[in-house]
Amino acid sequence: MENRNNQSAHHRAWTAAVTALAIVAVLMFPVALGAQGSHTSSVFSGAKVNHGTVTHTKMGGKNVLTLSADFEYPGTPDPHWQIVDSRGKVHLVQRLELKDGKMNMSITLPEYIPDVAKVQIWCAWAEVVLGEASFARPVG
């Protein structure tokens, strides 16, 4: 009977150690993929875009912006991603709409953009900001 109790205690200790290693592995997974933390903006606010956020991540040394799943397409002609850096310089980047009505939900920023203070959805046709989301502090 005593041998059984020792085996049971050993099994519980082994299970706890394996569980702890699994938790550490899950927490370290983004680091292993090259992600170096993420930052989420405020909710978009503007004339046509009032839903969703944008998340900034660093992947392989590059700045990546991704729209949230609840982001709603503005329904205007020629919307684009537009970035405002911490110095107030505006960078028109890429079209939001791709071929076949699909959206460009994630973009990798060019290296010449030093950081990101705000993300705007810009209508190139009407030349107006449709919505804007800000980060608490510039990211990048």
Side-chain angles (χ1 to χ4, degrees):
M1 184 81 152
E2 195 174 312
N3 189 21
R4 236 185 211 172
N5 286 339
N6 286 342
Q7 286 178 343
S8 179
H10 177 71
H11 181 70
R12 283 192 303 271
W14 185 82
T15 302
V18 169
T19 302
L21 285 173
I23 290 170
V24 169
V26 167
L27 293 175
M28 294 300 293
F29 186 71
V31 174
L33 290 178
Q36 299 167 354
S38 66
H39 310 93
T40 301
S41 71
S42 61
V43 174
F44 277 96
S45 177
K48 293 282 186 182
V49 180
N50 291 294
H51 291 91
T53 59
V54 63
T55 300
H56 166 267
T57 53
K58 198 92 160 175
M59 298 294 288
K62 297 190 181 276
N63 292 309
V64 177
L65 297 176
T66 304
L67 295 170
S68 63
D70 61 340
F71 178 85
E72 293 180 7
Y73 186 79
T76 59
D78 210 20
H80 282 68
W81 287 82
Q82 187 162 274
I83 308 305
V84 180
D85 66 28
S86 60
R87 294 182 180 161
K89 186 172 181 183
V90 178
H91 308 270
L92 186 61
V93 188
Q94 291 180 5
R95 288 190 66 176
L96 182 61
E97 185 177 15
L98 299 171
K99 293 180 182 178
D100 302 324
K102 296 179 183 176
M103 276 198 296
N104 206 356
M105 296 293 288
S106 183
I107 62 169
T108 301
L109 296 179
E111 291 183 18
Y112 64 82
I113 299 177
D115 56 25
V116 180
K118 298 177 185 179
V119 175
Q120 298 175 332
I121 303 301
W122 168 258
C123 180
W125 184 78
E127 297 184 351
V128 65
V129 175
L130 302 171
E132 177 178 274
S134 301
F135 290 98
R137 290 182 307 204
V139 295

